[in-house]
Amino acid sequence: MDAEEKPAESDNMEERDTAPLGHPRDNTGQSEAFGSPGDRAVYPPNIYAPQAQAFYCRDMEVAQCYLDGNADAVEFCTHEPYHNVLAAATYTLQEGDRPSRTGSISLFDVNPDMGRFELFYRVETVGIFDIKWSPVVGNVGPMLAQADADGYLRVHGLECCSNGGDSLSLKEIVGKKISSSMCLCVDWNPSTTSISVGLSDGSVSVVSFLESQLNVIQEWKAHDFELWAASFDIHQPQLVYTGSDDCKFSCWDLRDGPFNLVFQNSKVHKMGVCCIAKSPRDPNILLTGSYDEHLRLWDVRSISKPVNETSVCLGGGVWRVKYHPYVPGVVLAACMHNGFAIVKIDEEKGEVMETYTKHGSLAYGADWQRGNLSHKVKQNSSVVATCSFYDRLLQIWIPESSVVKQL
């Protein structure tokens, strides 16, 4: 396995006639190393702050900072009263005779009411492919799961600093090496008792998280190549959906052993499957994103083809999709070479409502802020965080589209 990072040129139009998968492969079938000199964008070194620095914007129309490494994931905390907390993760390949993968997690205070965007915590780690805050369940506090390039799954808790006051930090609760392959994606089940992890060898692991311990309870070879998406069904948590560079979209039932394949579609996606998102409101609907630039709507009761062939071409590989926390049918998509898009999608059609192209590199991370926003900000719709890879840029912005002004 030679993949060092996510495939930077996966949605290059010139590759489609020669590579049916998400990114080019050599004649041994191995992935081309992501971040190699041939596909790396070059930026003047002086545009980077030595550490992440926030720039303040009173009206929150635009706020930004450059992170300390290549930015690939952003996630707003799902728990009250921490909706203002934004986690941003990085992954940087240090090339040379002994290459290494370094990363970091930075926490920001994003407060629309006060017009504040401030870095308050940062920790260095190994290279990170994915992070995910735990869902809100009972009295369980916020936890952040981390998928590492060294094969580790780590879980951090958001806690008040030991020196008192209101400052927050991350404390690692547990970390466990679950594979010799790289951990590429992570998702919590709705009860926070287990975590799914997609691996670079095409396997998926289901890891129990009980009494602050991680234990692999099921692991199986689900796909032929890198597994970029492994998501629990939020309505039926015994089901796990997977998507891979082999262009296959699959569903597995955990009740009957790891090899119980519920369905597998290998015909619709023309390139690798990057992301899977279940509708929070309709238990029958989910979305997939692919390097083939299409966002597709599926009804899991009839999985042979997308519902009414509903799909939207977003002009770039669809790496991440996030449903709006309040407005039905509205999603935020990270489109790799084509920036970010806000899409309104239903059973009849899908429509791009707005695009955001103020990033200068691969669009990877995207999320909506949750919480009770002020009247002023409601009039301007939701707050969005996005990040891009090689330019290391994190942006906070407010969509202009009327479709998200229904709050």
Side-chain angles (χ1 to χ4, degrees):
M1 173 63 192
D2 297 327
E4 298 295 348
E5 302 173 8
K6 302 181 185 71
E9 300 299 329
S10 300
D11 56 342
N12 189 318
M13 298 292 291
E14 295 178 358
E15 294 170 0
R16 293 198 182 172
D17 295 334
T18 58
L21 303 178
H23 53 90
R25 296 171 179 274
D26 63 25
N27 56 14
T28 65
Q30 297 297 309
S31 301
E32 179 182 88
F34 175 83
S36 61
D39 61 19
R40 174 164 302 188
V42 178
Y43 295 90
N46 61 355
I47 72 169
Y48 301 125
Q51 293 190 8
Q53 295 182 353
F55 298 86
Y56 296 82
C57 179
R58 181 173 298 176
D59 59 9
M60 289 297 291
E61 288 181 358
V62 175
Q64 66 177 23
C65 73
Y66 291 102
L67 299 179
D68 56 292
N70 298 338
D72 62 354
V74 290
E75 295 279 329
F76 276 107
C77 186
T78 52
H79 293 248
E80 293 183 347
Y82 306 111
H83 290 147
N84 61 304
V85 175
L86 174 69
T90 66
Y91 176 109
T92 303
L93 173 64
Q94 307 289 345
E95 296 184 285
D97 294 336
R98 300 184 65 182
S100 63
R101 307 175 185 93
T102 61
S104 66
I105 299 175
S106 299
L107 298 182
F108 294 85
D109 179 4
V110 181
N111 191 320
D113 291 337
M114 311 250 335
R116 186 168 66 241
F117 174 47
E118 182 178 4
L119 172 70
F120 66 87
Y121 178 81
R122 176 178 171 272
V123 60
E124 293 184 354
T125 70
V126 298
I128 296 174
F129 279 103
D130 196 16
I131 53 174
K132 189 68 63 65
W133 289 104
S134 59
V136 178
V137 179
N139 296 321
V140 179
M143 296 176 289
L144 187 68
Q146 167 186 334
D148 281 353
D150 63 358
Y152 273 78
L153 171 64
R154 305 178 194 274
V155 177
H156 308 268
L158 183 65
E159 299 182 354
C160 292
C161 291
S162 57
N163 57 5
D166 297 328
S167 57
L168 298 169
S169 65
L170 288 176
K171 180 180 179 181
E172 184 171 315
I173 298 172
V174 62
K176 184 180 181 69
K177 187 174 179 67
I178 63 170
S179 176
S180 59
S181 299
M182 294 184 285
C183 296
L184 303 181
C185 59
V186 63
D187 190 38
W188 294 85
N189 79 343
S191 63
T192 72
T193 57
S194 62
I195 301 169
S196 60
V197 183
L199 303 174
S200 59
D201 67 355
S203 299
V204 57
S205 287
V206 178
V207 184
S208 67
F209 178 65
L210 297 170
E211 299 179 347
S212 300
Q213 297 294 319
L214 294 172
N215 291 290
V216 177
I217 54 177
Q218 297 187 49
E219 182 172 312
W220 67 98
K221 181 76 169 179
H223 291 270
D224 298 325
F225 300 115
E226 293 90 336
L227 199 152
W228 296 116
S231 301
F232 282 99
D233 187 313
I234 57 178
H235 303 101
Q236 301 181 80
Q238 74 276 10
L239 301 179
V240 172
Y241 302 101
T242 57
S244 166
D245 259 3
D246 61 10
C247 308
K248 296 176 182 177
F249 164 46
S250 307
C251 178
W252 311 83
D253 192 329
L254 303 180
R255 295 172 298 183
D256 300 324
F259 303 109
N260 182 24
L261 181 63
V262 179
F263 67 75
Q264 185 172 86
N265 185 291
S266 59
K267 298 179 180 179
V268 170
H269 299 97
K270 306 307 179 185
M271 300 177 77
V273 180
C274 308
C275 58
I276 300 168
K278 187 75 183 294
S279 168
R281 291 175 173 82
D282 189 333
N284 299 313
I285 298 299
L286 61 76
L287 300 173
T288 59
S290 171
Y291 294 129
D292 66 14
E293 303 182 354
H294 282 79
L295 176 67
R296 292 179 173 88
L297 178 72
W298 301 82
D299 188 322
V300 295
R301 296 169 297 183
S302 176
I303 208 66
S304 60
K305 62 181 180 179
V307 175
N308 296 334
E309 297 298 331
T310 297
S311 64
V312 188
C313 182
L314 299 184
V318 185
W319 185 257
R320 282 285 179 267
V321 173
K322 297 290 183 66
Y323 273 96
H324 195 287
Y326 311 121
V327 185
V330 173
V331 297
L332 172 68
C335 308
M336 297 186 73
H337 290 285
N338 200 36
F340 299 86
I342 294 174
V343 183
K344 175 67 174 176
I345 191 165
D346 54 37
E347 292 185 9
E348 300 300 324
K349 65 176 183 177
E351 182 180 2
V352 177
M353 307 302 297
E354 182 174 347
T355 59
Y356 187 80
T357 57
K358 295 184 179 180
H359 288 263
S361 181
L362 293 166
Y364 274 155
D367 201 13
W368 306 93
Q369 187 174 37
R370 299 154 184 81
N372 297 317
L373 305 183
S374 68
H375 176 74
K376 176 181 177 182
V377 174
K378 284 183 181 180
Q379 295 302 310
N380 292 292
S381 75
S382 303
V383 175
V384 168
T386 51
C387 71
S388 45
F389 195 74
Y390 290 120
D391 60 0
R392 307 182 176 191
L393 181 60
L394 168 64
Q395 295 267 26
I396 307 296
W397 50 281
I398 296 174
E400 298 178 353
S401 173
S402 60
V403 74
V404 291
K405 293 184 179 179
Q406 305 172 25
L407 298 176

